[in-house]
Amino acid sequence: MTIAPAELLAHIPPPSGRRLALRVTPAAQRALRQGHPWLFEQAITDQREPGRPGDLAVIFDDQRRFLAIGLYDPTSVIRVRILHHGAPAAINQAWFAAQLTAAAARRADLPTQGTTGYRLVHGENDGLPGLVIDRYDAILVLKVYTAAWIPHLPTLLAALAEVMTAQGVVLRLSREMRRQPALLYGLEDAMTLAGDLPNPAVRFTENGLCFEADVLRGQKTGFFFDQRENRAAVAGLAAGRRTLNVFAYTGGFSLYAASGGAPEVLSLDISAPALAAAVRNFELNQHLPAVAAATHTVLAADAFDALAALRERRQRFDLVIVDPPALAKQEREIEGAVRAYQRLTRLSVDVLAPAGTLVMASCSSRVSAADFFAAVEQAAAEVDRPLHIFARSGHALDHPIAFAEGAYLKCLFAAVR
Ligand code: SAH
C-alpha cells in the first residue's frame, strides 16, 4: 500500500492557463449540440497549436459561437471529453464540487436501502468524463481513464474533500494509463491519494448483504456495482433452486441466490483469488439463516470447459446465471463475441434442469441489447430449449445513461422449457 506524499500532488504541473481553440466538422457540431460527450481526433478541422493532456479545449461552431469545453488528451482518439456544453463555464474547484454534489444527490436513496457500496460518479454519464468514483462505505476509489485528468487531480481532490466525507481516497488507473508513466508525474495505480486505507479489503453493504472488496487489486475498482439490481432480482428467483453462477467473480450473484433460499450454490470462475473472496463473502453473512443453510461450493476453471464437464457428468441446476466479462472491446471482435454468447447459451441450457431459469448478461458495449437478446434466444431455440424471456434489464440507477455508448449492460431473465 503506497500513500502518495503530499509533495507528489503538489508537484503535478497545474493545467495550462490558456485554452485551446478548436473548430470541428459539421457532424461533430451537431453531436455536441445534442450533448454528446466526446470529440474524436478526426473531427477536428482547425487547431492552431498543439495541446498537452489536461488542457482545456474550447470548441466553436462555424459562426465562432461557443459549443463546448472539455479536457484535451493528445494521446487518445477521443481527443476531447466534454465537461460543459452550451455556454462558457469556469472549470475550477467550485465547478467540480457542483458536479460531485449533483452526482451524490442522484444516489441519495441508496444508503437508506442498506447499500453503502455504489458508484458515485459514472464518468460521462455524470458529467465527469473519463472518471469513475466508487464508494465503498468510507473509502472512495477514483478510477482514471484519461491522462487529461492528472493535472486536475489536486483540484478534484480539494472538491471531493469539500463536499464528501471519506476516510481515504484511492487511485486506480486504467490499463491504458498504466502504460503512460511519463504522464503520471510519479502517481501509481493503487496509491492512497488522501486520508488512509487501513485495510485494502474494504467492507460495505449492498441491499443489506455484507461484502468485502479488494480495492487495490480487484477488477475494475474491486466490485461490479452495475449488477446490483439484477443480483436482487436473482434473490427473488432462487428459493429452492440449485444455482450455478458462471463468471462468479467474488460471488455477488451467488450470495444473493443463497439469501433468497437457494439450497446449493456453485460459483464458477477462472480466478482462484476471486473465488477465495466469494467464500469470504459467504462467511460474512452467516448471520442470515438462508445463507447459513446454503451449501456454497467454488470451482476455479475455464467456464467453457467446466460447463461441458458438468454436462458430461449430468449435473443439473434449476437456476443458471451467466455474467461474462466484456467479450467485444473493439469493432472487429463483435462477431466473435456474439458466437461466444451463443456457445455459452448452449452450454448453459445443457446444464439447466427442465423448467429452469437462465439469467444471462452482457457488458460488451459494442454488442447492442437487441443483438444480444436475439443471439441468446436463437442459440437456445437451435438446441430445442426455447427461452421464454420474462424480463430484460440494464444498469442499476447509480449507472445513469447519458449517451448511447453509455448503455453497455443488458441482462435477460428467461424460463427454459
Ligand atoms: N458476475 C460478477 C462479475 C463478473 S466479472 C459479479 O456480479 O460481481 C467477469 C468474471 O469472469 C471475472 O471474475 C473473471 O475472472 C471471469 N473470467 C474471465 N474469463 C473467464 C473464463 N474463461 N472462465 C471463467 N471465468 C472467467
Side-chain angles (χ1 to χ4, degrees), residues 30-232:
R30 267 195 307 279
L32 291 174
R33 267 200 198 93
Q34 285 162 12
H36 200 280
W38 292 341
L39 175 70
F40 288 95
E41 167 189 16
Q42 68 271 21
I44 298 174
T45 52
D46 182 59
Q47 173 176 351
R48 296 287 153 81
E49 44 192 342
R52 289 181 314 178
D55 282 353
L56 289 169
V58 180
I59 303 159
F60 295 96
D61 70 6
D62 290 338
Q63 277 74 51
R64 294 192 162 278
R65 285 178 306 209
F66 176 98
L67 274 176
I69 182 166
L71 294 173
Y72 186 83
D73 182 356
T75 72
S76 171
V77 288
I78 305 177
R79 193 51 49 96
V80 182
R81 291 171 199 253
I82 306 303
L83 294 166
H84 196 85
H85 289 90
I91 305 301
N92 51 25
Q93 183 175 328
W95 189 87
F96 287 136
Q99 306 304 306
L100 293 168
T101 303
R106 289 191 268 277
R107 283 104 174 144
D109 283 347
L110 287 173
T112 68
Q113 299 159 1
T115 297
T116 64
Y118 54 89
R119 179 146 297 186
L120 185 61
V121 170
H122 187 42
E124 341 333 61
N125 305 287
D126 277 305
L128 293 168
L131 179 78
V132 154
I133 305 178
D134 283 344
R135 179 181 275 288
Y136 292 82
D137 203 354
I139 301 298
L140 296 177
V141 183
L142 215 120
K143 185 142 184 182
V144 176
Y145 289 87
T146 159
W149 273 108
I150 302 297
H152 299 274
L153 273 185
T155 313
L156 180 76
L157 286 168
L160 261 180
E162 184 190 326
V163 297
M164 302 283 160
T165 46
Q167 177 178 13
V169 182
V170 174
L171 176 70
R172 295 293 306 270
L173 299 170
S174 68
R175 196 168 307 151
E176 202 52 48
M177 293 217 41
R178 276 177 272 153
R179 281 196 218 112
Q180 306 176 308
L183 304 176
L184 298 174
Y185 302 102
L187 292 173
E188 287 169 18
D189 186 50
M191 260 183 174
T192 302
L193 294 182
D196 69 327
L197 177 71
N199 186 342
V202 177
R203 291 211 185 156
F204 61 95
T205 61
E206 190 184 87
N207 289 316
L209 295 170
C210 302
F211 285 95
E212 213 172 74
D214 184 335
V215 296
L216 299 186
R217 284 172 302 257
Q219 297 188 34
K220 300 279 174 184
T221 67
F223 200 68
F224 291 87
F225 292 124
D226 52 0
Q227 290 283 22
R228 182 177 52 254
E229 288 165 10
N230 296 328
R231 284 192 283 263

Side-chain angles (χ1 to χ4, degrees), residues 219 224 227 231 247-249 252-253 269-271 301-303 323-325:
Q219 297 188 34
F224 291 87
Q227 290 283 22
R231 284 192 283 263
F247 305 99
Y249 189 49
F253 279 106
D269 199 283
I270 204 160
S271 160
D302 171 73
D323 178 26

Side-chain angles (χ1 to χ4, degrees), residues 227 322-328 337 341 360-369 372-373 376 393 395 407-412:
Q227 290 283 22
V322 188
D323 178 26
L327 297 175
Y341 287 129
M360 195 149 164
S362 161
C363 60
S364 304
S365 58
R366 291 183 181 268
V367 178
S368 72
F372 171 67
F373 294 139
V376 174
S393 69
H395 312 232
Y408 63 94
L409 185 65
K410 42 266 172 198
C411 186
L412 67 81

